[in-house]
Amino acid sequence: MAAPGSDIEHGFPHLDTVRASITALYRRLSRDTVDTFGLSVVPGDVAFSDQDDLYLGVQRVAGAMVRHLRLPDARMIVSFREMRHAGNVELAAGPEYFIELNSRFKNHRRDIGAALAHEVTHVYLHRLDLSFPGTRDNEILTDTTAAYLGTGWLLLDAFRQDSLSSQKLGYLTPEEFGYVLAKRALLFDEDPSPWFTSPQAYEAYAKGLELARHDQARPPLAAAGWTGRRRYAKDRRSAQSGDPSPTGGDYAFDSGPPLSVSFPCPTCRQRIRVPVRGRVRARCGLCRTVLECDT
């Protein structure tokens, strides 16, 4: 949690780990399970006004997160204390999990849902036995999972910044949250932007959406633009003549025979290999996305 007035990191510095997190999620869950999260948690289920009883409200919002993530036998015991971070969860065998939230949320209730989205996702991943080595990468996995499965839009909406103060929850940059939410939006045709109460969140989502759409228009995908297609054709000629495969793009050629090209699936980032023979249709073996390619 960024302190008021602190500098907030922007851009896509953790993009490789974010993409690896999406791939790991598909490998652990399968496409069928991911598809069950087609509807995000709705704002009404996590709304928290100053008139609500603090502890009853916290339990209500935590329950909404538990139900959304299909943790029916998990009970969240939430308390508040002074701490540096937004929250902390004690991961054990369950069924009770103890979550501590920063005491500042007692007076900033609108962001309690965002903090709980992150902490309850820790429980979800713990039960899945899915983790990355190292605290930093594991926290990025948690934020990515929350955003991709439908609760993490709250974490982006908690990002606010003006000339006097700033706040951001989670380990991803605002633009990285926007990227993951955009990947989800393109998959499920769900636009989260009407739910944002923060103008800065909307701007970060727009930047993430631009990058997510770019993922779907990179060669050898048929939707690639003219510049990308021209570069791809040049690299393909080099590969056909036996020169080393280029390293500047996502794709890589394999001399074979026959000549083939590999590239990341725009949905799950699993690498796909197809023959170089013009127009081909490929299906990702991990997320089952069907892709039109021009190789």
Side-chain angles (χ1 to χ4, degrees):
M1 181 170 59
S6 67
D7 291 332
I8 290 179
E9 189 174 26
H10 287 275
F12 301 94
H14 315 111
L15 187 58
D16 288 345
T17 308
V18 168
R19 287 170 167 170
S21 298
I22 294 174
T23 305
L25 201 57
Y26 273 97
R27 287 175 178 166
R28 185 65 181 86
L29 291 182
S30 81
R31 174 60 184 266
D32 289 337
T33 303
V34 170
D35 283 348
T36 65
F37 292 92
L39 296 176
S40 291
V41 64
V42 296
D45 288 346
V46 293
F48 204 139
S49 73
D50 291 338
Q51 286 70 47
D52 291 337
D53 178 271
L54 177 63
Y55 290 96
L56 290 178
V58 166
Q59 291 303 136
R60 174 179 57 79
V61 175
M65 298 298 172
V66 166
R67 289 189 297 274
H68 182 82
L69 292 174
R70 284 49 161 191
L71 296 170
D73 61 339
R75 297 191 294 273
M76 305 295 155
I77 312 301
V78 185
S79 61
F80 296 85
R81 72 173 176 88
E82 294 289 338
M83 65 175 78
R84 179 188 175 197
H85 299 290
N88 181 62
V89 61
E90 179 183 323
L91 295 175
E96 290 185 344
Y97 296 88
F98 296 91
I99 294 176
E100 294 177 317
L101 296 182
N102 192 302
S103 58
R104 72 182 294 272
F105 288 121
K106 291 181 178 181
N107 298 317
H108 296 82
R109 300 183 182 187
R110 62 182 288 189
D111 296 323
I112 284 178
L116 288 174
H118 180 91
E119 302 306 332
V120 176
T121 301
H122 268 303
V123 175
Y124 180 73
L125 292 172
H126 175 70
R127 288 195 164 197
L128 283 181
D129 193 25
L130 176 59
S131 64
F132 281 174
T135 299
R136 169 189 168 275
D137 287 358
N138 206 48
E139 294 290 355
I140 291 172
L141 170 65
T142 303
D143 280 343
T144 302
T145 300
Y148 203 76
L149 297 187
T151 63
W153 66 267
L154 289 157
L155 284 156
L156 178 55
D157 194 43
F159 166 52
R160 290 182 290 278
Q161 192 169 32
D162 56 35
S163 59
L164 298 177
S165 64
S166 60
Q167 173 185 277
K168 183 185 77 69
L169 303 185
Y171 287 73
L172 301 185
T173 68
E175 292 78 14
E176 287 167 343
F177 271 120
Y179 173 76
V180 181
L181 291 172
K183 300 288 278 189
R184 171 185 171 80
L186 294 171
L187 178 66
F188 293 118
D189 192 25
E190 177 191 71
D191 181 9
S193 58
W195 302 332
F196 296 142
T197 61
S198 164
Q200 293 80 21
Y202 185 88
E203 293 170 2
Y205 174 70
K207 292 178 181 178
L209 180 59
E210 181 180 359
L211 180 58
R213 285 176 172 162
H214 185 59
D215 285 350
Q216 297 184 318
R218 297 187 180 192
L221 298 175
W226 181 84
T227 302
R229 295 299 310 156
R230 184 179 181 184
R231 177 184 173 184
Y232 177 83
K234 178 182 178 181
D235 293 338
R236 179 178 59 200
R237 287 193 298 270
S238 296
Q240 289 170 334
S241 64
D243 292 339
S245 180
T247 58
D250 285 342
Y251 54 82
F253 291 98
D254 184 350
S255 58
L259 183 67
S260 62
V261 61
S262 65
F263 60 97
C265 170
T267 299
C268 69
R269 304 299 297 181
Q270 171 83 2
R271 291 196 72 84
I272 300 170
R273 185 180 302 276
V274 295
V276 174
R277 62 184 186 198
R279 287 270 182 169
V280 297
R281 178 174 290 178
R283 183 179 183 180
C284 177
L286 182 58
C287 70
R288 304 201 303 268
T289 300
V290 177
L291 303 169
E292 297 291 338
C293 306
D294 186 358
T295 60

